[in-house]
Amino acid sequence: MAEQWTVSTPTTLTFDAEVTRLRVRTVAGAVNVVAADGPARLEVTELEGPPLQITLDKGELVVTYEDLTWKDFSWKSLATFIGTWRESTRRRAVVSLAVPHLTRIELGSASSDTVISGIAAPVTVHSASGSTTLVGVSGPVDANTVSGSVHAQSVSGDLKVNTVSGELTVVEGASRNLKANSVSGPVTVDLARDNTTDVSLTNVSGEVALRIPAPANAQIHANTTSGDVSSAFDELRVGGTWGAKQLTGTLGNGSGKVKITTVSGSVALLRRPAPEDGGLDVTAPKVLDFSKEDEA
């Protein structure tokens, strides 16, 4: 039998029944989800506007407003949803949840800032303008946002990000498959050591910067229609005609794959120092000058 709660003031709930799936739909505020042992727990510390509806049924825990549905937060519906909630009664909720590591997570919000930590199951996040922070997530991640930023640290599950103008930053990325599509948001990716990631980064006008560990092992194919290209690797070949530029080649044993495509956004390939070097590689990559080729 389903259990239901209506929360209209700051509240703490502990759930005796097993939780295997979490679905949260909010408008503004914050949503924090952390993996933890023991029974699932929910804490609402701030709440403004209509009450939250909490339901636990057959392992699925749902936290939402009565008039919101999951389809409101689909990638195609986000723009319409933004206009709707801006004209409605102000809603703000700060919600924190502790759930088992293998809980499947599905979060949708307009402008709530989201933090997800330690989850080993699939994670889906749809956001209009709120930031998304992922820490130590080992399950596959599908994050979609219009203008919100996405920050991923030590994420080892497959990572897929779609953004219009939001910033994507990946630190210590260990995903086997990493795919990002952006229109104008900057994309910065730092790969972990001993990684054989298959990387695909696409941007229109935003810049793309990728830092690869040394010794590097990857097949590289980067191209831009009119943006600048810079590289810290002498092994890579430079080509292109007119304004278009290509950077290709194989680093080390080529176990990883890197594909970067931009229209007018710049592309930078950086070298992460070997462990014995210590510190950060602060040497600026060489900007590839095509002026002489153009003159020829």
Side-chain angles (χ1 to χ4, degrees), residues 172-192:
E172 290 279 350
S175 303
R176 292 298 179 185
N177 292 282
L178 196 164
K179 183 177 182 180
N181 296 295
S182 178
V183 177
S184 61
V187 175
T188 305
V189 176
D190 167 56
L191 298 182

mmCIF file of all heavy atoms in Angstrom, residues 172-192:
data_model
loop_
_atom_site.group_PDB
_atom_site.id
_atom_site.type_symbol
_atom_site.label_atom_id
_atom_site.label_comp_id
_atom_site.label_asym_id
_atom_site.label_seq_id
_atom_site.Cartn_x
_atom_site.Cartn_y
_atom_site.Cartn_z
ATOM 1 N N GLU A 172 38.643 15.308 -12.864
ATOM 2 C CA GLU A 172 38.973 13.908 -12.578
ATOM 3 C C GLU A 172 37.959 12.981 -13.260
ATOM 4 O O GLU A 172 37.480 12.012 -12.669
ATOM 5 C CB GLU A 172 38.987 13.655 -11.072
ATOM 6 C CG GLU A 172 40.129 14.309 -10.314
ATOM 7 C CD GLU A 172 41.424 13.502 -10.417
ATOM 8 O OE1 GLU A 172 41.366 12.361 -10.907
ATOM 9 O OE2 GLU A 172 42.483 14.004 -10.020
ATOM 10 N N GLY A 173 37.642 13.283 -14.512
ATOM 11 C CA GLY A 173 36.659 12.487 -15.233
ATOM 12 C C GLY A 173 37.172 11.089 -15.529
ATOM 13 O O GLY A 173 38.238 10.924 -16.123
ATOM 14 N N ALA A 174 36.420 10.074 -15.109
ATOM 15 C CA ALA A 174 36.825 8.687 -15.317
ATOM 16 C C ALA A 174 35.762 7.899 -16.074
ATOM 17 O O ALA A 174 35.773 6.673 -16.068
ATOM 18 C CB ALA A 174 37.117 8.025 -13.967
ATOM 19 N N SER A 175 34.852 8.588 -16.719
ATOM 20 C CA SER A 175 33.785 7.922 -17.471
ATOM 21 C C SER A 175 34.369 7.203 -18.682
ATOM 22 O O SER A 175 35.276 7.713 -19.346
ATOM 23 C CB SER A 175 32.756 8.946 -17.951
ATOM 24 O OG SER A 175 32.217 9.689 -16.872
ATOM 25 N N ARG A 176 33.850 6.019 -18.985
ATOM 26 C CA ARG A 176 34.273 5.308 -20.190
ATOM 27 C C ARG A 176 33.728 6.000 -21.435
ATOM 28 O O ARG A 176 34.355 5.978 -22.493
ATOM 29 C CB ARG A 176 33.800 3.858 -20.139
ATOM 30 C CG ARG A 176 34.486 3.024 -19.066
ATOM 31 C CD ARG A 176 35.979 2.932 -19.314
ATOM 32 N NE ARG A 176 36.656 2.149 -18.286
ATOM 33 C CZ ARG A 176 37.966 1.977 -18.203
ATOM 34 N NH1 ARG A 176 38.744 2.560 -19.100
ATOM 35 N NH2 ARG A 176 38.498 1.261 -17.251
ATOM 36 N N ASN A 177 32.535 6.579 -21.297
ATOM 37 C CA ASN A 177 31.929 7.333 -22.395
ATOM 38 C C ASN A 177 31.503 8.696 -21.879
ATOM 39 O O ASN A 177 30.751 8.777 -20.907
ATOM 40 C CB ASN A 177 30.720 6.585 -22.959
ATOM 41 C CG ASN A 177 31.106 5.307 -23.661
ATOM 42 O OD1 ASN A 177 31.573 5.335 -24.796
ATOM 43 N ND2 ASN A 177 30.907 4.174 -22.999
ATOM 44 N N LEU A 178 31.992 9.742 -22.520
ATOM 45 C CA LEU A 178 31.690 11.103 -22.104
ATOM 46 C C LEU A 178 31.244 11.885 -23.336
ATOM 47 O O LEU A 178 32.016 12.062 -24.275
ATOM 48 C CB LEU A 178 32.918 11.746 -21.463
ATOM 49 C CG LEU A 178 32.722 13.021 -20.640
ATOM 50 C CD1 LEU A 178 33.946 13.274 -19.767
ATOM 51 C CD2 LEU A 178 32.482 14.239 -21.525
ATOM 52 N N LYS A 179 29.998 12.335 -23.322
ATOM 53 C CA LYS A 179 29.450 13.039 -24.466
ATOM 54 C C LYS A 179 28.798 14.334 -24.008
ATOM 55 O O LYS A 179 28.013 14.341 -23.068
ATOM 56 C CB LYS A 179 28.413 12.169 -25.182
ATOM 57 C CG LYS A 179 27.828 12.803 -26.443
ATOM 58 C CD LYS A 179 26.873 11.855 -27.138
ATOM 59 C CE LYS A 179 26.318 12.465 -28.423
ATOM 60 N NZ LYS A 179 25.383 11.543 -29.125
ATOM 61 N N ALA A 180 29.139 15.442 -24.669
ATOM 62 C CA ALA A 180 28.564 16.737 -24.316
ATOM 63 C C ALA A 180 28.198 17.497 -25.582
ATOM 64 O O ALA A 180 28.976 17.545 -26.540
ATOM 65 C CB ALA A 180 29.544 17.557 -23.488
ATOM 66 N N ASN A 181 27.002 18.093 -25.572
ATOM 67 C CA ASN A 181 26.539 18.937 -26.664
ATOM 68 C C ASN A 181 26.142 20.286 -26.104
ATOM 69 O O ASN A 181 25.371 20.357 -25.143
ATOM 70 C CB ASN A 181 25.336 18.304 -27.359
ATOM 71 C CG ASN A 181 25.678 16.998 -28.035
ATOM 72 O OD1 ASN A 181 26.450 16.965 -28.980
ATOM 73 N ND2 ASN A 181 25.094 15.909 -27.559
ATOM 74 N N SER A 182 26.669 21.367 -26.678
ATOM 75 C CA SER A 182 26.381 22.704 -26.193
ATOM 76 C C SER A 182 26.220 23.648 -27.379
ATOM 77 O O SER A 182 26.737 23.393 -28.471
ATOM 78 C CB SER A 182 27.504 23.199 -25.277
ATOM 79 O OG SER A 182 27.245 24.522 -24.833
ATOM 80 N N VAL A 183 25.491 24.736 -27.138
ATOM 81 C CA VAL A 183 25.356 25.767 -28.164
ATOM 82 C C VAL A 183 26.379 26.868 -27.936
ATOM 83 O O VAL A 183 27.193 27.164 -28.810
ATOM 84 C CB VAL A 183 23.930 26.348 -28.188
ATOM 85 C CG1 VAL A 183 23.832 27.478 -29.215
ATOM 86 C CG2 VAL A 183 22.914 25.258 -28.514
ATOM 87 N N SER A 184 26.353 27.457 -26.731
ATOM 88 C CA SER A 184 27.299 28.541 -26.455
ATOM 89 C C SER A 184 27.985 28.407 -25.102
ATOM 90 O O SER A 184 28.838 29.216 -24.765
ATOM 91 C CB SER A 184 26.573 29.896 -26.525
ATOM 92 O OG SER A 184 25.533 29.956 -25.561
ATOM 93 N N GLY A 185 27.620 27.411 -24.327
ATOM 94 C CA GLY A 185 28.242 27.255 -23.016
ATOM 95 C C GLY A 185 29.648 26.692 -23.112
ATOM 96 O O GLY A 185 29.904 25.782 -23.905
ATOM 97 N N PRO A 186 30.601 27.208 -22.336
ATOM 98 C CA PRO A 186 31.966 26.678 -22.357
ATOM 99 C C PRO A 186 32.020 25.262 -21.804
ATOM 100 O O PRO A 186 31.297 24.916 -20.868
ATOM 101 C CB PRO A 186 32.740 27.660 -21.465
ATOM 102 C CG PRO A 186 31.704 28.239 -20.562
ATOM 103 C CD PRO A 186 30.446 28.319 -21.374
ATOM 104 N N VAL A 187 32.881 24.437 -22.386
ATOM 105 C CA VAL A 187 33.039 23.048 -21.967
ATOM 106 C C VAL A 187 34.495 22.819 -21.556
ATOM 107 O O VAL A 187 35.407 23.002 -22.362
ATOM 108 C CB VAL A 187 32.657 22.074 -23.103
ATOM 109 C CG1 VAL A 187 32.943 20.636 -22.689
ATOM 110 C CG2 VAL A 187 31.187 22.250 -23.477
ATOM 111 N N THR A 188 34.704 22.430 -20.301
ATOM 112 C CA THR A 188 36.050 22.186 -19.782
ATOM 113 C C THR A 188 36.085 20.791 -19.181
ATOM 114 O O THR A 188 35.334 20.490 -18.258
ATOM 115 C CB THR A 188 36.429 23.218 -18.700
ATOM 116 O OG1 THR A 188 36.285 24.535 -19.233
ATOM 117 C CG2 THR A 188 37.855 23.009 -18.233
ATOM 118 N N VAL A 189 36.951 19.931 -19.710
ATOM 119 C CA VAL A 189 37.004 18.538 -19.274
ATOM 120 C C VAL A 189 38.427 18.178 -18.878
ATOM 121 O O VAL A 189 39.377 18.401 -19.635
ATOM 122 C CB VAL A 189 36.511 17.587 -20.387
ATOM 123 C CG1 VAL A 189 36.667 16.133 -19.954
ATOM 124 C CG2 VAL A 189 35.059 17.885 -20.746
ATOM 125 N N ASP A 190 38.570 17.602 -17.681
ATOM 126 C CA ASP A 190 39.858 17.129 -17.168
ATOM 127 C C ASP A 190 39.735 15.624 -16.972
ATOM 128 O O ASP A 190 38.944 15.161 -16.142
ATOM 129 C CB ASP A 190 40.166 17.833 -15.838
ATOM 130 C CG ASP A 190 41.312 17.178 -15.091
ATOM 131 O OD1 ASP A 190 42.394 17.072 -15.683
ATOM 132 O OD2 ASP A 190 41.119 16.785 -13.917
ATOM 133 N N LEU A 191 40.501 14.842 -17.749
ATOM 134 C CA LEU A 191 40.411 13.392 -17.670
ATOM 135 C C LEU A 191 41.336 12.846 -16.583
ATOM 136 O O LEU A 191 42.447 13.337 -16.398
ATOM 137 C CB LEU A 191 40.771 12.761 -19.014
ATOM 138 C CG LEU A 191 39.860 13.109 -20.201
ATOM 139 C CD1 LEU A 191 40.316 12.363 -21.444
ATOM 140 C CD2 LEU A 191 38.405 12.798 -19.885
ATOM 141 N N ALA A 192 40.869 11.807 -15.886
ATOM 142 C CA ALA A 192 41.681 11.171 -14.853
ATOM 143 C C ALA A 192 42.812 10.367 -15.491
ATOM 144 O O ALA A 192 42.797 10.057 -16.679
ATOM 145 C CB ALA A 192 40.796 10.256 -13.999
#
